[in-house]
Amino acid sequence: MPEPLPILRIGHPVLLQRALPAGDAGDLGLQELLEAMLATMHDASGLGLAAPQVGRSVRAIVLLPLIARDQPTEEVAPLVLLDPELELDGLPPVLGVEGCLSIPELRGLVPRARTLRWRARDRAGRPIAGAAEGLTARILQHEVDHLDGILFPMRMTDLALLATADQAAHLLALLPPPERGPAPPGMPE
Ligand code: NI
């Protein structure tokens, strides 16, 4: 596995750029970037990572697939998506806790669509598509936002719902029970 890359922190201008299409999946540089992103996500114990977070302004994201009861797992191969596009459910958004590897130590309650459909290219360039809900849908929205230069606080409608990680329990207590989920959310993405 390649060495993890340094993760850009909020304030770096690359995090505010709209990323370019991922380009030819056969490009060796792109494949090396994807491997490095997977290593970086693993090293940082993140649930997802977008290429701009490692300084490459291209439309590529990686995320851990979440299985039964929305629990993250490393037992299943991570998802690698090039040029992902989301179709949100159009329903009123739901609040949930988010963190970001580019914004260490902060958590926030962020409104997001609860369900969505996505399409993208896999790492070989083949079209793939799927549906997601709950935490997986939230991570997809968070990572695709990174490709458009949007960080999670920019999606928040109430900055009173921002907290340091050690205070995130107070945020959880504000959520209706069904949204609290079985595991402490707010893990870095
Ligand atoms: Ni993030």
Side-chain angles (χ1 to χ4, degrees):
M1 191 173 265
E3 287 291 303
L5 299 170
I7 297 174
L8 301 187
R9 301 285 176 85
I10 184 171
H12 195 292
V14 167
L15 292 174
L16 298 177
Q17 290 175 4
R18 182 175 164 83
L20 295 171
D24 182 3
D27 180 74
L28 195 57
L30 176 61
Q31 292 298 325
E32 285 176 355
L33 170 65
L34 297 174
E35 285 300 322
M37 287 171 62
L38 289 167
T40 305
M41 177 176 70
H42 182 81
D43 179 67
S45 301
L47 299 180
L49 187 76
Q53 293 182 275
V54 292
R56 294 283 301 276
S57 196
V58 297
R59 303 187 78 79
I61 63 173
V62 295
L63 61 151
L64 287 184
L66 304 170
I67 55 167
R69 293 184 60 78
D70 248 0
Q71 296 276 16
T73 177
E74 296 185 51
E75 302 302 315
V76 186
L79 207 52
V80 175
L81 301 182
L82 305 178
D83 301 318
E85 291 180 29
L86 306 183
E87 185 185 327
L88 308 183
D89 59 21
L91 298 172
V94 293
L95 286 177
V97 179
E98 293 187 26
C100 180
L101 295 174
S102 294
I103 313 174
E105 292 305 312
L106 281 183
R107 304 288 185 267
L109 286 186
V110 185
R112 300 282 190 188
R114 199 184 70 78
T115 65
L116 56 80
R117 304 190 66 79
W118 59 267
R119 56 200 166 101
R121 295 185 295 140
D122 68 11
R123 62 183 307 169
R126 296 171 297 225
I128 46 172
E133 62 178 3
L135 184 55
T136 305
R138 180 169 294 278
I139 296 169
L140 277 164
Q141 291 169 83
H142 178 115
E143 302 307 335
V144 170
D145 265 359
H146 273 301
L147 304 182
D148 293 325
I150 298 168
L151 299 167
F152 82 79
M154 297 159 69
R155 288 290 189 194
M156 293 178 65
T157 48
D158 184 357
L159 287 177
L161 304 179
L162 198 58
T164 51
D166 63 325
Q167 298 298 316
H170 298 298
L171 299 180
L172 284 176
L174 297 174
L175 294 176
E179 298 301 331
R180 284 181 204 166
M187 284 163 284
E189 292 168 5

